Amino acid sequence: MIKSVNNYYIEDLIKKDANFYYSIPKYQREYTWGPQQWKDIYDDILENDLGYFIGSIICINNTNDVCNVQELEIVDGQQRLTTLTLLLVAIYNKLKANRDKLNDDNVDEITFLRKSINCKGSPNGLILVPQIQNYNYDDYLLVMAENDLVKTAKKVKNWGNRRIAKCYRYFLFRLERDMEEAGEKAIDILLEIRNKVSKAVLVKIEVGSHSEAYTLFESLNR
């Protein structure tokens, strides 16, 4: 049974001081998106108006009565959700690097983003807990550690050659290029990108069980 279907801005799905986090179960494949998907999602968000629809996620609420923080298990949408969080971390990186150029109103964006990516009560202290296959979990934590979003992370051989690290660096490159092309308006462009990502729209579908999730997934992908 579908429990809820709602449109959400990214800033509401990945939000400051959230009382929920997303988990990717072990049975799912590793992160597989590559340059074309990274380019598509970046270009689509930037080239369209605020509120641009970028897809859906299907999740199961695994929260029990003891927990204060809800665990939302992602059955479909881990590629998109992982990519979006890496894009937000890249934006966070650029905002921090340009802190001295932000005015008093905009400097709060740094704290806001940090508190959106972090989540007190999740197993890793982050809004997203990736699955562990092929170093996904370790690679993701290393990106976060590079940005001081987690205190420590296990250093894994060949980290930079895998997709999570490459995705993060791709977004850093795109942001750097867009800011460079904007010249004196570099900060304005960065803040505009941040706003467009925040106001992109995802549909979150919450179901009651795995069997219901798979049935829905198959019907949506026929």
Side-chain angles (χ1 to χ4, degrees), residues 164-204:
I164 283 180
K166 287 183 175 180
C167 175
Y168 168 65
R169 289 174 177 169
Y170 172 84
F171 288 136
L172 284 180
F173 167 75
R174 290 298 304 272
L175 292 168
E176 288 167 1
R177 190 176 71 181
D178 287 349
M179 292 174 69
E180 183 177 338
E181 290 176 354
E184 294 180 357
K185 294 186 177 181
I187 297 303
D188 293 336
I189 289 297
L190 179 59
L191 291 169
E192 180 183 343
I193 293 170
R194 156 65 174 151
N195 190 40
K196 283 205 166 186
V197 174
S198 298
K199 295 299 185 182
V201 171
L202 270 177
V203 173
K204 180 168 81 71

Side-chain angles (χ1 to χ4, degrees), residues 29-193:
R29 63 180 179 170
E30 69 273 15
Y31 182 71
T32 60
W33 272 18
Q36 188 59 56
Q37 288 92 351
W38 307 333
K39 180 181 185 300
D40 287 345
I41 199 168
Y42 187 91
D43 289 345
D44 285 348
I45 291 173
L46 267 62
E47 292 172 3
N48 287 281
D49 295 333
L50 295 179
Y52 180 72
F53 173 70
I54 56 171
S56 62
I57 59 174
I58 302 173
C59 63
I60 301 170
N61 193 325
N62 288 331
T63 309
N64 57 48
D65 294 336
V66 178
C67 298
N68 293 321
V69 179
Q70 299 179 60
E71 178 195 357
L72 302 177
E73 179 184 325
I74 298 298
V75 180
D76 181 54
Q78 72 136 321
Q79 306 291 329
R80 184 169 282 102
L81 198 55
T82 302
T83 302
L84 286 167
T85 59
L86 292 170
L87 173 53
L88 287 172
V89 174
I91 294 170
Y92 173 74
N93 177 288
K94 292 302 171 189
L95 285 170
K96 278 210 312 177
N98 292 277
R99 177 189 290 269
D100 60 332
K101 299 173 186 175
L102 299 172
N103 62 36
D104 292 341
D105 292 330
N106 293 326
V107 76
D108 290 339
E109 282 288 334
I110 298 173
T111 301
F112 189 95
L113 256 181
R114 183 182 187 90
K115 290 186 175 182
S116 299
I117 297 161
N118 288 127
C119 178
K120 293 178 181 178
S122 85
N124 62 359
L126 299 166
I127 194 72
L128 178 67
V129 181
Q131 53 91 278
I132 61 175
Q133 297 210 39
N134 293 331
Y135 302 108
N136 259 26
Y137 186 86
D138 293 329
D139 290 350
Y140 192 81
L141 283 189
L142 273 169
V143 171
M144 303 301 156
E146 274 198 356
N147 289 278
D148 298 321
L149 292 165
V150 295
K151 291 183 179 179
T152 59
K154 179 181 177 183
K155 291 186 177 181
V156 185
K157 188 177 180 181
N158 295 323
W159 167 73
N161 294 324
R162 289 187 291 274
R163 289 180 185 258
I164 283 180
K166 287 183 175 180
C167 175
Y168 168 65
R169 289 174 177 169
Y170 172 84
F171 288 136
L172 284 180
F173 167 75
R174 290 298 304 272
L175 292 168
E176 288 167 1
R177 190 176 71 181
D178 287 349
M179 292 174 69
E180 183 177 338
E181 290 176 354
E184 294 180 357
K185 294 186 177 181
I187 297 303
D188 293 336
I189 289 297
L190 179 59
L191 291 169
E192 180 183 343
I193 293 170

